[in-house]
Amino acid sequence: MSISRRTAIAVRTIGVASAAAALALGVAGNAFACNISEFSAQASCDNGKGSIDVTNKDYSNTLVNITVSQGQTQVGHQENLTGTRQGVTVNFPVAWSPSTTYTVTVVKASGQKVGTTDVTTPETACKVDTPTTPATDTPTTDTPSDTPTTPATETPSTAPSDTPTATPSTSGAAAVDDTNAPSPAAGGTTDLAETGGGSNTGMIAGVAGALVVVGGGAVYGLRRRTAGARH
């Protein structure tokens, strides 16, 4: 009986100590289950839209509420958030200014405060990205060397040279058909025949021959007289 009582007392003592240790470990585990060191924040800018991004790496499945403020002004708040070992990022849209400090406050959903962390925005403002227009090369319109050229067209003459021009007569008389026809001889009234001779050709030839004979006789007589005078 005494041995049994001793054994029972020992077992009871061990049980109480184990329970106390487990309770202490549980309290300590809960104390370190959600720590502010597991939260980080940074400022980001996406094409003119600024935000404060908070990453939660607490994997104890603890529900927390996160508040972002600038000075005494609250600029963002979200509740009942949980994290993972790899981290869960929550974005708080903020139109932040350069070199501005924001405070991130983490509180458990039960109301227990986890802690705070600060983030300072970059020195450059969050601006809209202006796309640059690339310079466009103007294609050159080079005419290939084998392109046939259009030959020059000759303008026809409006007045051909072989077309007779009708010249109106100012005297009202009829135009002469043959301009090369011989004029009638002075003093004659008869036109020349087709052979070129007129009706007075024989008489003119006879008179000319008589004049030649008379002239020759006169020259002969003068020569004889000159010779006789010399003798």
Side-chain angles (χ1 to χ4, degrees), residues 176 178-183:
V176 180
D178 188 4
T179 57
N180 295 323
S183 304

Side-chain angles (χ1 to χ4, degrees), residues 7-8 21 28 46 60 71 79 88 99 104 111 125 128 150 167 170 172 180 182-183 208 221-222 231:
T7 304
D46 183 12
S60 65
E79 296 182 352
V88 176
S99 302
V104 178
V128 178
T150 304
T167 304
T170 57
N180 295 323
S183 304
L222 290 174
H231 292 289

Side-chain angles (χ1 to χ4, degrees), residues 132-138:
T132 58
T133 303
T136 56
D137 296 332
T138 304

